[in-house]
Amino acid sequence: MANIRVSVALLALLAAAGGGAARGAQPIEYAIKASYLYKFAPFVQWPATAFETPTAPLSICIAGTDPFGPALSEAVRGQRVNGHPIVVRRIDAVRPGLTCQILYVGGEDTSAALQAVAHEPILTVTDRNRGGSGGMIQFVMMAGRVRFSIDQAAALGSGIAISSKLLGLAVSVNR
């Protein structure tokens, strides 16, 4: 978990040093969220059926509004989790049977997308401040910092186990 904190601190420091204030807070916020998205993966256990093969890529899918731009693809370049290379896919629509391990749903209305994969082994992530239904992990801004809450019950209902280390960092956990 120290790695997540260090990465977030480094991203914030680099953004501030590089004129982040002149560009506004949103690019920094989404660079931090991009880092979190892939750093959640080592603390999540998916059922074996979530991957086609033991070395298949771990897919992070972005549906709806993509606030990350190239930051997410750059953050995951060369990264692996438990032998799985990480890939980013931007998708037009969320449908049952989607082959992603992590799904970020952006935009105002997340309900239909989340409903489409409600009981599938996909870790769903949303922004709480955008409205709509919440994912298993919801980003929330608190005192100018990116934090997250976790709906552990939803994760367990989809066959996903979230590490107690990650649960301990959440601002709230729905059990």
Side-chain angles (χ1 to χ4, degrees):
M1 292 318 332
N3 286 344
I4 289 177
R5 289 183 183 158
V6 169
S7 294
V8 170
L10 284 174
L11 280 171
L13 182 62
L14 289 172
R23 290 187 304 252
Q26 193 164 353
I28 296 168
E29 172 187 343
Y30 283 101
I32 292 168
K33 289 177 181 181
S35 178
Y36 268 132
L37 272 179
Y38 86 90
K39 290 194 178 280
F40 288 146
F43 302 98
V44 175
Q45 184 176 352
W46 286 270
T49 58
F51 294 94
E52 291 179 13
T53 68
T55 57
L58 184 147
S59 295
I60 299 174
C61 294
I62 308 300
T65 305
D66 177 2
F68 305 110
L72 181 57
S73 296
E74 290 172 17
V76 304
R77 184 174 294 126
Q79 298 294 324
R80 297 178 80 79
V81 174
N82 298 325
H84 300 280
I86 301 175
V87 298
V88 176
R89 296 177 31 219
R90 287 161 176 87
I91 58 175
D92 295 328
V94 177
R95 294 181 184 89
L98 186 64
T99 55
C100 296
Q101 285 71 43
I102 300 174
L103 172 65
Y104 173 86
V105 182
E108 295 297 322
D109 185 15
T110 59
S111 315
L114 294 173
Q115 186 61 35
V117 295
H119 299 289
E120 298 190 31
I122 299 172
L123 181 73
T124 56
V125 182
T126 60
D127 283 301
R128 180 183 292 169
N129 60 338
R130 299 286 183 212
S133 299
M136 294 170 193
I137 296 180
Q138 294 179 24
F139 288 125
V140 61
M141 294 299 293
M142 295 180 75
R145 298 180 67 187
V146 176
R147 304 295 306 268
F148 56 90
S149 62
I150 297 176
D151 186 340
Q152 184 181 24
L156 291 171
S158 292
I160 296 172
I162 298 176
S163 163
S164 60
K165 292 178 182 179
L166 188 58
L167 294 171
L169 289 177
V171 295
S172 66
V173 176
N174 176 21
R175 299 184 192 272

